[in-house]
Amino acid sequence: MVDELQQGLIRISDDVVATIAGLAALETPGVSAMSGGISEGLAKRLSGRNAQKGVSVEVGQVEAAIDLRIVVQYGIPIQEVGVRLQENVREAVQNMTGLRVVEVNVKVEGVAFKDEAETDDSHRVK
């Protein structure tokens, strides 16, 4: 995004938009985690950049498009999680940046089950 003011320009980087979107996604009920995938892990190693896991953005001067890859919690309707996720991310990005979010695409890449080991930890010797 670029705003022309009398004092100069304001530019919002793609990484900032990706961070806002990722944080909003993780705050959405039913989202267990973001899914980075193999290609993103490779890109991080090659570029040395700390990219936002599971988030891809395209940012123009006044609009943004966001792609999210997530893992949902087992037992929660995926369609409901997806709709809430789109709403939360759109609202967060638009409120913080002033960009108009034209699309939020969600790809569910996995389902997280409650780990039985977490409940049995109370019996372990520490």
Side-chain angles (χ1 to χ4, degrees), residues 23-80:
L23 291 172
L26 289 172
E27 292 176 352
T28 303
V31 174
S32 178
M34 301 303 289
S35 176
I38 295 171
S39 61
E40 185 168 303
L42 179 61
K44 282 183 187 179
R45 285 193 296 269
L46 294 177
S47 69
R49 289 181 29 185
N50 186 13
Q52 180 66 39
K53 181 180 179 183
V55 181
S56 300
V57 299
E58 289 182 42
V59 179
Q61 290 187 1
V62 295
E63 296 178 335
I66 302 166
D67 296 321
L68 303 168
R69 295 177 308 282
I70 64 166
V71 176
V72 297
Q73 295 172 355
Y74 177 77
I76 300 176
I78 293 173
Q79 187 67 22
E80 290 177 19

Side-chain angles (χ1 to χ4, degrees), residues 2 4-5 7 21 26 35 43 58 62-63 86-87 90-91 93 99 102 106:
V2 179
E4 292 187 37
L5 301 174
Q7 296 89 2
L26 289 172
S35 176
E58 289 182 42
V62 295
E63 296 178 335
Q86 289 172 319
E87 292 169 353
R90 178 175 281 113
E91 183 178 323
V93 171
L99 292 167
V102 294
V106 177

